[in-house]
Amino acid sequence: MLEIHVLRENAPEIIEGLKKRNHDFTAPINEILELDEKRRACQQKMDQVLAESNALSRDIGDLFKRGKAEEANAMRAKSAEYKEESHRLKEEFQELDNRMNEALHHVPNVPNTIVPAGNSDKDNEVVHSEGETPNLGENNLPHWELADKYDLIDFDLGAKITGAGFPVYKGKGAKLQRALINFFLDEADKAGYNEVIPPHMVNEESGFGTGQLPDKEGQMYHATVDNLYLIPTAEVPVTNIFRDVILESKQFPIKMCAYTPCFRREAGSYGKDVRGLNRLHQFDKVEIVQIQHPDQSYDTLTTMVDHVKGLLQKLGLQFRILRLCGGDLGFTSALTYDMEVFSAAQERWLEVSSISNFETFQANRLKCRFRDENGKTRLVHTLNGSALALPRIVAALLENNQDADGIRIPECLHKYTGFERID
RNA sequence: GGAGAGAUGGCAGAGUGGUCGAAUGCGGUGGUCUUGAAAACCAUUGUACCGCAAGGUACCGGGGGUUCGAAUCCCUCUCUCUCCGCCA
C-alpha cells in the first residue's frame, strides 16, 4: 500500500499516475486525505488529554507519598474526566484510522513512468523476442494429446481424485517435472539465490503482507477451520520471511528462491484457456525473490529478467518479453515483465513468468525496512519473478520438440531426466 | 487430544502497582590507548505516530478490564516449552 505521507505530499501526481490503470482514483484519494487530516487532528487532541492525565496521575502519586491523601482524593474526579475524554478520543481516532487504512488498502501501486497505457493484454508492449517457431509438419499434436499418447499426464485421473485442474503426472512425465524443478533450482543457486522450502499454507497476516488479501481473497483456497490459505505462489511465504524486519544496508541484495506447488482457484476461467496444462488449480513453480535498496531495484529487475531469459534460451524455446500495460498490471506492481513461450501446436503464446518490482508497496504492508546511511529507517523495495512456472513450459516442450514417434528432451535437462527422448 | 509452565529491548536476563521505555551482562556503533590488532576504558545504542520546533503520545506476545496510576492485578486470544496419549 502507498505510504500515507507520500500520498499526502504528492496526491495530484499519484492520481495522474494511477490513470494508467484506467481508473480515476480522485474520489477515494480525496476521501483518504480528508480522513488523514481528521485523524491527525484527533491524535493531537488525544495526546494532549493523555499528557494532562499523566501529569495529574503523577501529582496524585506525589501527594499520596507525602501523606496528603485527602488532597489526592479530591483530584480523582478530574482524573475520571480525563479518562472518559481520552477513551472517547481513542475510539474516534481508531475509527478514523481504520477507515483511512481500509480505503488505502484498495488503492493499487502507481505504475512506473515507462509502463505503457492500455486496457488489456492486447496493449502490452513486446520489448524482446527471440527463437524460431519449429516446423512441426502436418500431424502435430497439442500437448494434451501428446501427454495421453506417451502416458505422461493423466487429467481424468486427477479429476477423479480431486477435480478438474489437478493432473496426475506419470512415468517420464513425472520425471520431467522433477527434472525441471531441479534444473531451475540449480540455475537459481548458481545465480546466488538462497533456497528455502517454505510452508505451503499461510496465515492472514502473510496474505495481507504481499497484497493477496484483502483484494484477491477469492483466488486462494481458504482452509476456514484454521483460517489458513494455500499459497498461490511462493512469493507469499518467501517475501513474508521479511515481514516486520529491519535490515542493514550491507545485507542488500537479499536473494531467495523456492520451489513450491501453487494453488489457485481460477474462478471464472473457461474454454481453450483451461485445456490441458494451460491453466491448472495446482501447479509447480520455482520462484525468485529479491529485497533491494530502492536505488538499485530497477537494475535488479533487469538482472532477474536476464536470469529467466537464460533459462528459456537453455531450454531452446521460442519466447518473447512483454512490458505490461497499465490495465494489465497487477494490483501491487509498479512494473512487470511477462515472459511468454510459443506453443507451436496450439499456435499461441503462453505466459510462463511474470517478473515485477513492487517498490515499497509490499514493503509498507510488510513493514520491511532498512537503516540508511543516516541511520534512519526506510522501506525496502521487493521484487519477484517466476523462474519458472512448470506446466506451460512442459506444454511448449512437448509440442515444440515432437516428431513422428517421440519427443526430444533439451540437452540441459538430460542429466536431470536420465533420458533424452520420450517415445 | 489431556495436564502443567511461560511470553520483557538484537540476545541473555532483572523488574510483581507510582518519573520504568524499562536494571545488569553480552552484542552493535563511535572514541581513547596501540606500529596494527586484542584487551581495557569512555560514550552511545528500540520502534511508530503527532508537531516547524521545543516537546508530546503509544508500545514489555495481541485484545479487553480493574485503578488516580499497570511490564507488574483480572479476563480472553495467540504462540512457545515440558509431561502423557496418538502418529508420518
Side-chain angles (χ1 to χ4, degrees):
Chain A
M1 88 183 142
L2 300 177
E3 289 173 90
I4 183 63
H5 73 266
V6 173
L7 186 57
R8 204 182 289 151
E9 284 151 29
N10 309 287
E13 294 86 336
I14 287 170
I15 289 168
E16 194 54 38
L18 285 170
K19 283 189 180 155
K20 266 194 196 158
R21 290 184 180 269
N22 302 313
H23 218 281
D24 187 3
F25 284 91
T26 308
I29 285 178
N30 282 340
E31 193 203 338
I32 290 166
L33 293 177
E34 205 176 298
L35 286 165
D36 176 50
E37 210 163 301
K38 285 186 192 162
R39 183 188 66 106
R40 285 186 294 156
C42 184
Q43 185 182 347
Q44 280 178 39
K45 261 191 272 175
M46 178 176 72
D47 283 356
Q48 198 192 331
V49 171
L50 284 170
E52 284 168 22
S53 173
N54 287 343
L56 184 64
S57 288
R58 276 191 291 267
D59 291 346
I60 293 175
D62 281 345
L63 290 172
F64 273 122
K65 265 191 225 161
R66 288 190 278 135
K68 298 184 177 175
E70 270 179 46
E71 273 179 62
N73 283 322
M75 290 161 86
R76 284 190 184 177
K78 185 67 187 164
S79 184
E81 270 175 48
Y82 280 138
K83 189 179 176 177
E84 201 181 318
E85 178 75 353
S86 68
H87 266 75
R88 211 204 80 233
L89 287 165
K90 191 184 177 189
E91 263 175 50
E92 188 182 330
F93 174 80
Q94 276 177 343
E95 149 105 29
L96 289 165
D97 197 50
N98 289 343
R99 277 169 61 196
M100 184 190 77
N101 282 316
E102 173 67 20
L104 205 49
H105 292 162
H106 293 282
V107 178
N109 204 353
V110 181
N112 184 287
T113 50
I114 65 167
V115 168
N119 292 310
S120 71
D121 54 1
K122 289 178 187 62
D123 301 312
N124 294 334
E125 186 184 333
V126 178
V127 294
H128 181 85
S129 188
E130 74 175 77
E132 283 168 28
T133 308
N135 191 359
L136 297 183
E138 281 298 293
N139 298 318
N140 71 77
L141 299 171
H143 69 269
W144 51 89
E145 288 184 28
L146 292 165
D148 191 44
K149 180 176 175 185
Y150 297 107
D151 200 23
L152 303 172
I153 304 166
D154 195 326
F155 293 98
D156 294 338
L157 189 53
K160 170 186 159 184
I161 299 167
T162 305
F166 292 91
V168 176
Y169 300 88
K170 295 155 72 178
K172 283 187 173 177
K175 287 199 171 73
L176 176 60
Q177 204 71 7
R178 193 148 54 84
L180 282 164
I181 292 164
N182 284 329
F183 170 61
F184 293 149
L185 283 173
D186 283 355
E187 292 293 309
D189 181 62
K190 274 192 242 169
Y193 291 90
N194 291 312
E195 184 177 347
V196 289
I197 300 179
H200 296 170
M201 298 184 96
V202 294
N203 58 28
E204 244 178 298
E205 291 75 31
S206 294
F208 175 77
T210 34
Q212 280 70 27
L213 295 175
D215 285 279
K216 289 188 247 164
E217 167 127 38
Q219 290 266 36
M220 291 190 288
Y221 288 99
H222 187 190
T224 52
V225 175
D226 297 292
N227 198 24
L228 295 173
Y229 295 86
L230 267 77
I231 57 170
T233 158
E235 162 194 351
V236 181
V238 173
T239 312
N240 271 282
I241 291 172
F242 301 95
R243 174 150 51 85
D244 293 323
V245 166
I246 299 177
L247 299 160
E248 297 300 325
S249 289
K250 63 185 174 205
Q251 290 177 265
F252 291 131
I254 291 175
K255 303 171 78 174
M256 311 291 288
C257 68
Y259 153 70
T260 68
C262 301
F263 302 90
R264 298 187 183 179
R265 295 188 59 232
E266 303 291 359
S269 301
Y270 62 90
K272 68 174 165 43
D273 280 355
V274 305
R275 195 81 199 268
L277 294 169
N278 289 342
R279 177 168 260 116
L280 299 171
H281 288 307
Q282 177 182 331
F283 64 96
D284 296 302
K285 179 158 64 68
V286 171
E287 184 80 0
I288 52 177
V289 172
Q290 291 211 38
I291 312 282
Q292 249 302 13
H293 189 286
D295 297 345
Q296 255 84 61
S297 67
Y298 279 96
D299 289 339
T300 294
L301 184 64
T302 304
T303 67
M304 291 170 78
V305 169
D306 287 343
H307 176 77
V308 176
K309 216 194 240 182
L311 298 177
L312 294 170
Q313 287 164 342
K314 284 178 188 165
L315 290 170
L317 292 169
Q318 182 187 7
F319 69 95
R320 63 181 190 180
I321 305 177
L322 307 176
R323 184 182 288 141
L324 294 194
C325 73
D328 211 21
L329 196 63
F331 183 80
T332 50
S333 179
L335 179 61
T336 296
Y337 290 99
D338 269 9
M339 315 288 273
E340 295 185 334
V341 297
F342 193 69
S343 178
Q346 297 186 80
E347 294 182 353
R348 55 189 287 226
W349 293 96
L350 300 176
E351 181 193 330
V352 291
S353 177
S354 192
I355 306 161
S356 304
N357 187 354
F358 305 98
E359 298 188 356
T360 60
F361 195 86
Q362 286 183 331
N364 190 213
R365 292 173 159 232
L366 293 160
K367 296 286 167 275
C368 178
R369 293 154 292 173
F370 71 103
R371 235 176 278 282
D372 71 8
E373 309 70 46
N374 306 315
K376 292 190 70 172
T377 57
R378 284 175 64 190
L379 295 172
V380 301
H381 280 194
T382 60
L383 306 95
N384 69 49
S386 352
L388 283 160
L390 292 243
R392 295 172 188 162
I393 290 288
V394 171
L397 283 177
L398 297 183
E399 291 182 11
N400 297 14
N401 295 350
Q402 65 179 300
D403 51 42
D405 52 6
I407 295 155
R408 186 177 51 78
I409 300 294
E411 201 185 326
C412 64
L413 296 178
H414 290 176
K415 66 169 176 172
Y416 296 100
T417 52
F419 52 86
E420 300 182 10
R421 268 185 79 76
I422 292 169
D423 44 28

